[in-house]
Amino acid sequence: MGVRQEHLAALQALAVERWEDYLGERSGLPGPRANLELLAAAGDVAPAATLLRWSAADDEYLACVGTAGIGRLVLEGRPALVADLRRRAEDGRWRVREGVAMALQRIGDGDPGLLRAVTSDWAAGPPLVQRAAVAGLCEPRLLRAPGTADHALAVLDRVTASLAALVADRRRDPDVRVLRQGLGYCWSVAVAAAPGPGFDALERWAASPDRDVRWVLRENLRKARLLRADADRTAALAVAVT
């Protein structure tokens, strides 16, 4: 039995009223890494009302658990909750924002077409919503679904173009920095899943004089997954954006 299954069994053996104590005792917080296995298990089985209540909690771990679990509720026939996820993508707490990305990944596991539709819409949103879209999409297992890798490249292209269009003063804002950091690894995940069109896209962006775009490319080109995908093109791009 894996860790997630162990937590699942433990939760199911407890009354729901005791779950918050169980989560609080095993959250891993404060600390560098939250208990993601427990987070996933709670999202698997918590009642809808409990997940929604947790998603609005002041406690950061409960809010993350509840937010990530909303992905399950969307798949169970509550698509209107996508709007709630979009609002939480701009939460001031980074773990809650990660919960949004995890919720999108739950959606993608069950309905890749819905994930593509949601992230296409979010790609036109503000920076933290855009960041949630690319972070939710750029998960290797999701990119194996037909059409999703190409869609991820298209979303990354749109979001990168929006970053390049921002005025200089705006780029110092915290939300833009968060977006830039997300782009700094998401491109490599998508390119590794679709190397042909992915490297073509990176080569187009390598011609950009924009400093932030070039920083995004340099960060991605440091990732071993790109070397494994195509060492020669990676090396050539690294020279081009130096």
Side-chain angles (χ1 to χ4, degrees):
M1 182 183 294
V3 175
R4 179 171 175 173
Q5 289 71 33
E6 289 175 1
H7 285 307
L8 186 62
L11 289 169
Q12 290 174 321
L14 291 172
V16 173
E17 293 76 16
R18 297 181 58 193
W19 285 14
E20 288 187 19
D21 290 338
Y22 184 92
L23 269 61
E25 292 165 2
R26 295 163 177 81
S27 70
L29 304 180
R33 183 182 183 274
N35 188 335
L36 299 182
E37 293 83 4
L38 174 56
L39 180 152
D44 288 340
V45 295
T50 301
L51 288 172
L52 293 174
R53 177 167 54 82
W54 286 348
S55 72
D58 292 333
D59 181 273
E60 188 169 8
Y61 187 70
L62 285 179
C64 183
V65 172
T67 298
I70 288 175
R72 192 196 90 212
L73 304 185
V74 170
L75 290 174
E76 289 176 349
R78 302 182 65 172
L81 289 174
V82 169
D84 192 50
L85 288 175
R86 180 172 172 137
R87 287 192 297 273
R88 297 191 189 286
E90 297 189 272
D91 194 282
R93 297 165 292 180
W94 72 267
R95 284 192 174 90
V96 177
R97 298 197 299 268
E98 287 303 306
V100 174
M102 287 185 276
L104 291 178
Q105 289 163 7
R106 273 190 181 264
I107 293 169
D109 284 330
D111 190 340
L114 178 57
L115 175 66
R116 292 193 292 269
V118 170
T119 52
S120 181
D121 177 54
W122 288 19
L128 290 178
V129 174
Q130 292 176 320
R131 189 268 173 189
V134 298
L137 268 174
C138 292
E139 168 60 39
R141 71 178 188 273
L142 301 178
L143 298 178
R144 291 193 285 269
T148 300
D150 287 341
H151 170 75
L153 291 171
V155 167
L156 286 163
D157 204 56
R158 289 173 60 193
V159 173
T160 302
S162 75
L163 174 65
L166 290 174
V167 297
D169 287 348
R170 180 74 173 91
R171 299 189 192 201
R172 293 195 291 269
D173 292 351
D175 58 341
V176 177
R177 290 201 299 270
V178 170
L179 171 61
R180 186 169 58 241
Q181 290 163 357
L183 290 171
Y185 75 87
C186 284
W187 267 106
S188 67
V189 178
V191 172
F199 277 103
D200 289 347
L202 292 183
E203 287 163 358
R204 289 194 300 273
W205 280 113
S208 171
D210 187 276
R211 289 190 301 175
D212 285 326
V213 170
R214 295 175 77 81
W215 180 90
V216 165
L217 265 61
R218 287 195 298 272
E219 289 297 301
N220 281 281
L221 291 164
R222 294 189 177 103
K223 305 297 189 288
R225 62 177 67 95
L226 288 190
L227 283 171
R228 292 193 297 268
D230 193 320
D232 291 340
R233 294 181 86 175
T234 300
L237 278 163
V239 172
V241 299
T242 299

